[in-house]
Amino acid sequence: MRLLTKTTLYFSLLLAPLMAGAGFVLYKQLNNQLEHETDEELENDSRYWRRYLASPDLDPAVLNIHTQPFDIAPAGPADHHQHFGKTHDVMLFQEVDDEDVPFRERKELVTVQGKDYVLTMRRSLLEKEDWFSNIGMAMAFIFMALLGCILLLNWALSRRMWSPFYRTLESMQQLQLEQLGQLTLAPSNTQEFRRLNNALSQMTARIHRDYQAMKSLTEDAAHEMQTPLAIAQQQLELFMQDPSLTQGQGQAVLQTSDALQRLSRLTHNLLFLAKIENHQYATENTISLEAVIRKYLQLFDLQLQERQIAVRLDIQSPRALPLHPVLADTLVSNLLGNAIKYNQANGEIIITLDAHHFAVQNTSDLPALPVSHQFERFKKYHAYAQDSNGLGLAIVARICEAQGWKFGYHYAEGLHCFEVQFLS
């Protein structure tokens, strides 16, 4: 959930009960005020009728009026124990509405011509309920509209206030490692966003300096190591041509030469991994992986014939991929070289390529790779060739990671399968 949405949601959850509480208080105040007005009207009517019933001009017909708004009847023995002069709510049946209707009622004990009568006055509350219903609907509409306007206004203001943050976030998401030294963030007049931009600028500047220093160190170290390694290799080759060498000495020189070659390849692969992880092989051009596969099949043709390994191609509707030529060569050569190196005599290699994935399957006498520690650097297994530096599959995995692809392995029916899925 976005921050702006969450803020608006929390604000609405806080504001809604407050508005509901305010509506309830307003309803109670209006209800109390109407009851007070009705009670005052009943009290005024009571005073008027008491004066009239005590006057000599009393019309005797008044004593026979029995209606819901006004009723006067002789008081019985039980009526003298009632509490008169107070108002309360009652429900009376009305034939017009065919239902019980609320009334506000007030009773008085009056003496007319020496006899006690119970004077009952009522005010219908039906109109008040209708009025309250209309008022309630109007209040609910007004409150909902007010709540919607407040939330909309809060969303608009929050979006405007948070716009520098989102611009900064977008700039950071689009930032590439080699562009760290050129970071430009949108200015803001908000102190917190200015502090955030300054902190990000200082952090990226430090990262860029460290990146440049590490890049230079890696390149310089690789270059400086290659020179003495090449010189040592040349000296060993000259020494191996010395006719005075014994068999033991020659064997020792040969082992030393192999170790130097492994060290040279290791240095080259580590430098290559560092360049991949630093995104130094970014490209906007596309390449045909099918062409690269066929090229390396020709280059490995002699090894395939020597070990009598059959190759089966299954290429269907491949597409051009946004991949640097160096990375394409490394990806294909490592997977094919791995399939040849660890294959069995008279084995088979199955190469599958389509618009969505590239897979290399090979037969082998070796067991399946362990699930744990797959594609880790320098990870070798006891049955594998000892001259491997354990970086081949790690390089393939890093290439796929840099391209946003998925690289996986599984073993089924005697076949080792390495698969690259083109997710982008």
PDB file of all heavy atoms in Angstrom, residues 253-279:
ATOM      1  N   VAL A 253      58.413 -28.948 -13.316  1.00  0.00           N
ATOM      2  CA  VAL A 253      58.220 -27.736 -14.128  1.00  0.00           C
ATOM      3  C   VAL A 253      56.851 -27.764 -14.795  1.00  0.00           C
ATOM      4  O   VAL A 253      56.144 -26.743 -14.873  1.00  0.00           O
ATOM      5  CB  VAL A 253      59.345 -27.617 -15.186  1.00  0.00           C
ATOM      6  CG1 VAL A 253      59.018 -26.474 -16.158  1.00  0.00           C
ATOM      7  CG2 VAL A 253      60.677 -27.371 -14.508  1.00  0.00           C
ATOM      8  N   LEU A 254      56.431 -28.942 -15.270  1.00  0.00           N
ATOM      9  CA  LEU A 254      55.120 -29.058 -15.913  1.00  0.00           C
ATOM     10  C   LEU A 254      53.991 -28.769 -14.929  1.00  0.00           C
ATOM     11  O   LEU A 254      53.027 -28.083 -15.268  1.00  0.00           O
ATOM     12  CB  LEU A 254      54.969 -30.463 -16.499  1.00  0.00           C
ATOM     13  CG  LEU A 254      53.692 -30.720 -17.317  1.00  0.00           C
ATOM     14  CD1 LEU A 254      53.627 -29.778 -18.508  1.00  0.00           C
ATOM     15  CD2 LEU A 254      53.647 -32.165 -17.782  1.00  0.00           C
ATOM     16  N   GLN A 255      54.091 -29.272 -13.709  1.00  0.00           N
ATOM     17  CA  GLN A 255      53.078 -29.005 -12.693  1.00  0.00           C
ATOM     18  C   GLN A 255      53.025 -27.514 -12.346  1.00  0.00           C
ATOM     19  O   GLN A 255      51.953 -26.937 -12.174  1.00  0.00           O
ATOM     20  CB  GLN A 255      53.358 -29.832 -11.443  1.00  0.00           C
ATOM     21  CG  GLN A 255      53.162 -31.322 -11.637  1.00  0.00           C
ATOM     22  CD  GLN A 255      53.531 -32.117 -10.402  1.00  0.00           C
ATOM     23  OE1 GLN A 255      54.047 -31.559  -9.421  1.00  0.00           O
ATOM     24  NE2 GLN A 255      53.295 -33.438 -10.440  1.00  0.00           N
ATOM     25  N   THR A 256      54.224 -26.905 -12.278  1.00  0.00           N
ATOM     26  CA  THR A 256      54.271 -25.465 -11.991  1.00  0.00           C
ATOM     27  C   THR A 256      53.625 -24.669 -13.118  1.00  0.00           C
ATOM     28  O   THR A 256      52.892 -23.699 -12.889  1.00  0.00           O
ATOM     29  CB  THR A 256      55.721 -25.020 -11.782  1.00  0.00           C
ATOM     30  OG1 THR A 256      56.320 -25.813 -10.763  1.00  0.00           O
ATOM     31  CG2 THR A 256      55.776 -23.559 -11.391  1.00  0.00           C
ATOM     32  N   SER A 257      53.864 -25.069 -14.359  1.00  0.00           N
ATOM     33  CA  SER A 257      53.262 -24.388 -15.506  1.00  0.00           C
ATOM     34  C   SER A 257      51.747 -24.517 -15.486  1.00  0.00           C
ATOM     35  O   SER A 257      51.021 -23.543 -15.749  1.00  0.00           O
ATOM     36  CB  SER A 257      53.830 -24.966 -16.806  1.00  0.00           C
ATOM     37  OG  SER A 257      53.208 -24.371 -17.926  1.00  0.00           O
ATOM     38  N   ASP A 258      51.250 -25.706 -15.143  1.00  0.00           N
ATOM     39  CA  ASP A 258      49.797 -25.885 -15.051  1.00  0.00           C
ATOM     40  C   ASP A 258      49.204 -25.009 -13.958  1.00  0.00           C
ATOM     41  O   ASP A 258      48.119 -24.407 -14.129  1.00  0.00           O
ATOM     42  CB  ASP A 258      49.462 -27.349 -14.766  1.00  0.00           C
ATOM     43  CG  ASP A 258      49.772 -28.251 -15.961  1.00  0.00           C
ATOM     44  OD1 ASP A 258      49.884 -27.714 -17.090  1.00  0.00           O
ATOM     45  OD2 ASP A 258      49.901 -29.483 -15.758  1.00  0.00           O
ATOM     46  N   ALA A 259      49.896 -24.911 -12.841  1.00  0.00           N
ATOM     47  CA  ALA A 259      49.402 -24.072 -11.748  1.00  0.00           C
ATOM     48  C   ALA A 259      49.360 -22.598 -12.155  1.00  0.00           C
ATOM     49  O   ALA A 259      48.413 -21.865 -11.823  1.00  0.00           O
ATOM     50  CB  ALA A 259      50.269 -24.261 -10.509  1.00  0.00           C
ATOM     51  N   LEU A 260      50.384 -22.147 -12.884  1.00  0.00           N
ATOM     52  CA  LEU A 260      50.400 -20.762 -13.353  1.00  0.00           C
ATOM     53  C   LEU A 260      49.276 -20.491 -14.341  1.00  0.00           C
ATOM     54  O   LEU A 260      48.660 -19.421 -14.323  1.00  0.00           O
ATOM     55  CB  LEU A 260      51.754 -20.446 -13.993  1.00  0.00           C
ATOM     56  CG  LEU A 260      52.944 -20.255 -13.038  1.00  0.00           C
ATOM     57  CD1 LEU A 260      54.230 -20.071 -13.820  1.00  0.00           C
ATOM     58  CD2 LEU A 260      52.710 -19.052 -12.124  1.00  0.00           C
ATOM     59  N   GLN A 261      49.003 -21.460 -15.213  1.00  0.00           N
ATOM     60  CA  GLN A 261      47.906 -21.284 -16.157  1.00  0.00           C
ATOM     61  C   GLN A 261      46.564 -21.198 -15.431  1.00  0.00           C
ATOM     62  O   GLN A 261      45.700 -20.391 -15.788  1.00  0.00           O
ATOM     63  CB  GLN A 261      47.905 -22.437 -17.160  1.00  0.00           C
ATOM     64  CG  GLN A 261      49.069 -22.406 -18.139  1.00  0.00           C
ATOM     65  CD  GLN A 261      49.051 -23.587 -19.094  1.00  0.00           C
ATOM     66  OE1 GLN A 261      48.128 -24.398 -19.061  1.00  0.00           O
ATOM     67  NE2 GLN A 261      50.080 -23.681 -19.940  1.00  0.00           N
ATOM     68  N   ARG A 262      46.395 -22.051 -14.408  1.00  0.00           N
ATOM     69  CA  ARG A 262      45.168 -21.988 -13.622  1.00  0.00           C
ATOM     70  C   ARG A 262      45.049 -20.647 -12.911  1.00  0.00           C
ATOM     71  O   ARG A 262      43.960 -20.050 -12.844  1.00  0.00           O
ATOM     72  CB  ARG A 262      45.130 -23.124 -12.598  1.00  0.00           C
ATOM     73  CG  ARG A 262      44.906 -24.500 -13.210  1.00  0.00           C
ATOM     74  CD  ARG A 262      44.805 -25.545 -12.116  1.00  0.00           C
ATOM     75  NE  ARG A 262      43.726 -25.215 -11.181  1.00  0.00           N
ATOM     76  CZ  ARG A 262      43.572 -25.798 -10.009  1.00  0.00           C
ATOM     77  NH1 ARG A 262      44.422 -26.720  -9.597  1.00  0.00           N
ATOM     78  NH2 ARG A 262      42.562 -25.466  -9.230  1.00  0.00           N
ATOM     79  N   LEU A 263      46.149 -20.157 -12.362  1.00  0.00           N
ATOM     80  CA  LEU A 263      46.142 -18.863 -11.698  1.00  0.00           C
ATOM     81  C   LEU A 263      45.813 -17.745 -12.676  1.00  0.00           C
ATOM     82  O   LEU A 263      45.074 -16.811 -12.352  1.00  0.00           O
ATOM     83  CB  LEU A 263      47.496 -18.617 -11.028  1.00  0.00           C
ATOM     84  CG  LEU A 263      47.631 -17.300 -10.239  1.00  0.00           C
ATOM     85  CD1 LEU A 263      46.589 -17.224  -9.132  1.00  0.00           C
ATOM     86  CD2 LEU A 263      49.039 -17.171  -9.662  1.00  0.00           C
ATOM     87  N   SER A 264      46.322 -17.829 -13.896  1.00  0.00           N
ATOM     88  CA  SER A 264      46.029 -16.819 -14.915  1.00  0.00           C
ATOM     89  C   SER A 264      44.544 -16.832 -15.278  1.00  0.00           C
ATOM     90  O   SER A 264      43.907 -15.778 -15.393  1.00  0.00           O
ATOM     91  CB  SER A 264      46.886 -17.070 -16.159  1.00  0.00           C
ATOM     92  OG  SER A 264      46.597 -16.125 -17.160  1.00  0.00           O
ATOM     93  N   ARG A 265      43.993 -18.054 -15.463  1.00  0.00           N
ATOM     94  CA  ARG A 265      42.565 -18.144 -15.777  1.00  0.00           C
ATOM     95  C   ARG A 265      41.706 -17.641 -14.613  1.00  0.00           C
ATOM     96  O   ARG A 265      40.683 -16.985 -14.812  1.00  0.00           O
ATOM     97  CB  ARG A 265      42.189 -19.593 -16.103  1.00  0.00           C
ATOM     98  CG  ARG A 265      42.731 -20.098 -17.419  1.00  0.00           C
ATOM     99  CD  ARG A 265      41.996 -21.366 -17.855  1.00  0.00           C
ATOM    100  NE  ARG A 265      42.068 -22.417 -16.854  1.00  0.00           N
ATOM    101  CZ  ARG A 265      43.033 -23.339 -16.795  1.00  0.00           C
ATOM    102  NH1 ARG A 265      44.026 -23.319 -17.691  1.00  0.00           N
ATOM    103  NH2 ARG A 265      43.018 -24.269 -15.863  1.00  0.00           N
ATOM    104  N   LEU A 266      42.138 -17.973 -13.388  1.00  0.00           N
ATOM    105  CA  LEU A 266      41.406 -17.522 -12.210  1.00  0.00           C
ATOM    106  C   LEU A 266      41.376 -15.997 -12.138  1.00  0.00           C
ATOM    107  O   LEU A 266      40.332 -15.384 -11.873  1.00  0.00           O
ATOM    108  CB  LEU A 266      42.039 -18.105 -10.950  1.00  0.00           C
ATOM    109  CG  LEU A 266      41.445 -17.650  -9.612  1.00  0.00           C
ATOM    110  CD1 LEU A 266      39.987 -18.076  -9.512  1.00  0.00           C
ATOM    111  CD2 LEU A 266      42.248 -18.204  -8.453  1.00  0.00           C
ATOM    112  N   THR A 267      42.526 -15.364 -12.376  1.00  0.00           N
ATOM    113  CA  THR A 267      42.596 -13.906 -12.351  1.00  0.00           C
ATOM    114  C   THR A 267      41.681 -13.300 -13.410  1.00  0.00           C
ATOM    115  O   THR A 267      40.945 -12.333 -13.156  1.00  0.00           O
ATOM    116  CB  THR A 267      44.041 -13.448 -12.581  1.00  0.00           C
ATOM    117  OG1 THR A 267      44.893 -14.059 -11.621  1.00  0.00           O
ATOM    118  CG2 THR A 267      44.154 -11.940 -12.467  1.00  0.00           C
ATOM    119  N   HIS A 268      41.717 -13.882 -14.611  1.00  0.00           N
ATOM    120  CA  HIS A 268      40.866 -13.385 -15.692  1.00  0.00           C
ATOM    121  C   HIS A 268      39.387 -13.543 -15.348  1.00  0.00           C
ATOM    122  O   HIS A 268      38.573 -12.618 -15.563  1.00  0.00           O
ATOM    123  CB  HIS A 268      41.204 -14.136 -16.990  1.00  0.00           C
ATOM    124  CG  HIS A 268      40.306 -13.780 -18.128  1.00  0.00           C
ATOM    125  ND1 HIS A 268      39.141 -14.469 -18.393  1.00  0.00           N
ATOM    126  CD2 HIS A 268      40.388 -12.791 -19.065  1.00  0.00           C
ATOM    127  CE1 HIS A 268      38.548 -13.923 -19.442  1.00  0.00           C
ATOM    128  NE2 HIS A 268      39.292 -12.911 -19.877  1.00  0.00           N
ATOM    129  N   ASN A 269      39.001 -14.692 -14.775  1.00  0.00           N
ATOM    130  CA  ASN A 269      37.594 -14.922 -14.445  1.00  0.00           C
ATOM    131  C   ASN A 269      37.105 -14.017 -13.321  1.00  0.00           C
ATOM    132  O   ASN A 269      35.970 -13.529 -13.350  1.00  0.00           O
ATOM    133  CB  ASN A 269      37.387 -16.384 -14.058  1.00  0.00           C
ATOM    134  CG  ASN A 269      37.476 -17.318 -15.247  1.00  0.00           C
ATOM    135  OD1 ASN A 269      37.288 -16.896 -16.390  1.00  0.00           O
ATOM    136  ND2 ASN A 269      37.795 -18.580 -14.992  1.00  0.00           N
ATOM    137  N   LEU A 270      37.962 -13.786 -12.323  1.00  0.00           N
ATOM    138  CA  LEU A 270      37.564 -12.893 -11.235  1.00  0.00           C
ATOM    139  C   LEU A 270      37.375 -11.467 -11.745  1.00  0.00           C
ATOM    140  O   LEU A 270      36.432 -10.764 -11.343  1.00  0.00           O
ATOM    141  CB  LEU A 270      38.596 -12.933 -10.110  1.00  0.00           C
ATOM    142  CG  LEU A 270      38.617 -14.208  -9.259  1.00  0.00           C
ATOM    143  CD1 LEU A 270      39.769 -14.174  -8.273  1.00  0.00           C
ATOM    144  CD2 LEU A 270      37.288 -14.381  -8.525  1.00  0.00           C
ATOM    145  N   LEU A 271      38.253 -11.031 -12.607  1.00  0.00           N
ATOM    146  CA  LEU A 271      38.109  -9.700 -13.197  1.00  0.00           C
ATOM    147  C   LEU A 271      36.839  -9.632 -14.040  1.00  0.00           C
ATOM    148  O   LEU A 271      36.108  -8.635 -14.011  1.00  0.00           O
ATOM    149  CB  LEU A 271      39.332  -9.380 -14.057  1.00  0.00           C
ATOM    150  CG  LEU A 271      39.305  -8.025 -14.791  1.00  0.00           C
ATOM    151  CD1 LEU A 271      39.200  -6.883 -13.787  1.00  0.00           C
ATOM    152  CD2 LEU A 271      40.539  -7.862 -15.660  1.00  0.00           C
ATOM    153  N   PHE A 272      36.578 -10.698 -14.766  1.00  0.00           N
ATOM    154  CA  PHE A 272      35.382 -10.752 -15.595  1.00  0.00           C
ATOM    155  C   PHE A 272      34.119 -10.702 -14.729  1.00  0.00           C
ATOM    156  O   PHE A 272      33.149  -9.987 -15.044  1.00  0.00           O
ATOM    157  CB  PHE A 272      35.402 -12.026 -16.432  1.00  0.00           C
ATOM    158  CG  PHE A 272      34.295 -12.117 -17.437  1.00  0.00           C
ATOM    159  CD1 PHE A 272      34.188 -11.192 -18.465  1.00  0.00           C
ATOM    160  CD2 PHE A 272      33.356 -13.123 -17.352  1.00  0.00           C
ATOM    161  CE1 PHE A 272      33.168 -11.279 -19.393  1.00  0.00           C
ATOM    162  CE2 PHE A 272      32.325 -13.216 -18.265  1.00  0.00           C
ATOM    163  CZ  PHE A 272      32.240 -12.289 -19.293  1.00  0.00           C
ATOM    164  N   LEU A 273      34.112 -11.438 -13.603  1.00  0.00           N
ATOM    165  CA  LEU A 273      32.976 -11.390 -12.677  1.00  0.00           C
ATOM    166  C   LEU A 273      32.767  -9.987 -12.111  1.00  0.00           C
ATOM    167  O   LEU A 273      31.632  -9.506 -11.997  1.00  0.00           O
ATOM    168  CB  LEU A 273      33.201 -12.374 -11.531  1.00  0.00           C
ATOM    169  CG  LEU A 273      32.680 -13.805 -11.717  1.00  0.00           C
ATOM    170  CD1 LEU A 273      33.147 -14.678 -10.572  1.00  0.00           C
ATOM    171  CD2 LEU A 273      31.169 -13.813 -11.818  1.00  0.00           C
ATOM    172  N   ALA A 274      33.848  -9.334 -11.758  1.00  0.00           N
ATOM    173  CA  ALA A 274      33.744  -7.979 -11.212  1.00  0.00           C
ATOM    174  C   ALA A 274      33.144  -7.033 -12.243  1.00  0.00           C
ATOM    175  O   ALA A 274      32.312  -6.179 -11.913  1.00  0.00           O
ATOM    176  CB  ALA A 274      35.125  -7.487 -10.776  1.00  0.00           C
ATOM    177  N   LYS A 275      33.531  -7.184 -13.516  1.00  0.00           N
ATOM    178  CA  LYS A 275      32.977  -6.325 -14.562  1.00  0.00           C
ATOM    179  C   LYS A 275      31.495  -6.599 -14.772  1.00  0.00           C
ATOM    180  O   LYS A 275      30.709  -5.669 -15.010  1.00  0.00           O
ATOM    181  CB  LYS A 275      33.752  -6.534 -15.867  1.00  0.00           C
ATOM    182  CG  LYS A 275      35.168  -5.970 -15.856  1.00  0.00           C
ATOM    183  CD  LYS A 275      35.846  -6.179 -17.199  1.00  0.00           C
ATOM    184  CE  LYS A 275      37.241  -5.565 -17.205  1.00  0.00           C
ATOM    185  NZ  LYS A 275      37.915  -5.739 -18.522  1.00  0.00           N
ATOM    186  N   ILE A 276      31.090  -7.857 -14.676  1.00  0.00           N
ATOM    187  CA  ILE A 276      29.663  -8.190 -14.825  1.00  0.00           C
ATOM    188  C   ILE A 276      28.857  -7.566 -13.692  1.00  0.00           C
ATOM    189  O   ILE A 276      27.819  -6.935 -13.913  1.00  0.00           O
ATOM    190  CB  ILE A 276      29.464  -9.720 -14.846  1.00  0.00           C
ATOM    191  CG1 ILE A 276      30.094 -10.329 -16.101  1.00  0.00           C
ATOM    192  CG2 ILE A 276      27.985 -10.064 -14.787  1.00  0.00           C
ATOM    193  CD1 ILE A 276      30.057 -11.846 -16.120  1.00  0.00           C
ATOM    194  N   GLU A 277      29.331  -7.727 -12.470  1.00  0.00           N
ATOM    195  CA  GLU A 277      28.600  -7.209 -11.316  1.00  0.00           C
ATOM    196  C   GLU A 277      28.592  -5.696 -11.280  1.00  0.00           C
ATOM    197  O   GLU A 277      27.702  -5.086 -10.681  1.00  0.00           O
ATOM    198  CB  GLU A 277      29.201  -7.779 -10.032  1.00  0.00           C
ATOM    199  CG  GLU A 277      28.974  -9.290  -9.902  1.00  0.00           C
ATOM    200  CD  GLU A 277      29.729  -9.887  -8.733  1.00  0.00           C
ATOM    201  OE1 GLU A 277      30.597  -9.189  -8.165  1.00  0.00           O
ATOM    202  OE2 GLU A 277      29.456 -11.052  -8.381  1.00  0.00           O
ATOM    203  N   ASN A 278      29.558  -5.061 -11.912  1.00  0.00           N
ATOM    204  CA  ASN A 278      29.594  -3.600 -12.000  1.00  0.00           C
ATOM    205  C   ASN A 278      28.874  -3.075 -13.230  1.00  0.00           C
ATOM    206  O   ASN A 278      28.943  -1.877 -13.525  1.00  0.00           O
ATOM    207  CB  ASN A 278      31.046  -3.107 -12.011  1.00  0.00           C
ATOM    208  CG  ASN A 278      31.742  -3.330 -10.682  1.00  0.00           C
ATOM    209  OD1 ASN A 278      31.094  -3.420  -9.639  1.00  0.00           O
ATOM    210  ND2 ASN A 278      33.058  -3.435 -10.707  1.00  0.00           N
ATOM    211  N   HIS A 279      28.208  -3.977 -13.967  1.00  0.00           N
ATOM    212  CA  HIS A 279      27.407  -3.612 -15.138  1.00  0.00           C
ATOM    213  C   HIS A 279      28.238  -2.877 -16.196  1.00  0.00           C
ATOM    214  O   HIS A 279      27.803  -1.886 -16.779  1.00  0.00           O
ATOM    215  CB  HIS A 279      26.216  -2.733 -14.726  1.00  0.00           C
ATOM    216  CG  HIS A 279      25.327  -3.364 -13.702  1.00  0.00           C
ATOM    217  ND1 HIS A 279      24.407  -4.339 -14.016  1.00  0.00           N
ATOM    218  CD2 HIS A 279      25.244  -3.178 -12.356  1.00  0.00           C
ATOM    219  CE1 HIS A 279      23.778  -4.719 -12.911  1.00  0.00           C
ATOM    220  NE2 HIS A 279      24.266  -4.030 -11.891  1.00  0.00           N
TER     221      HIS A 279
END
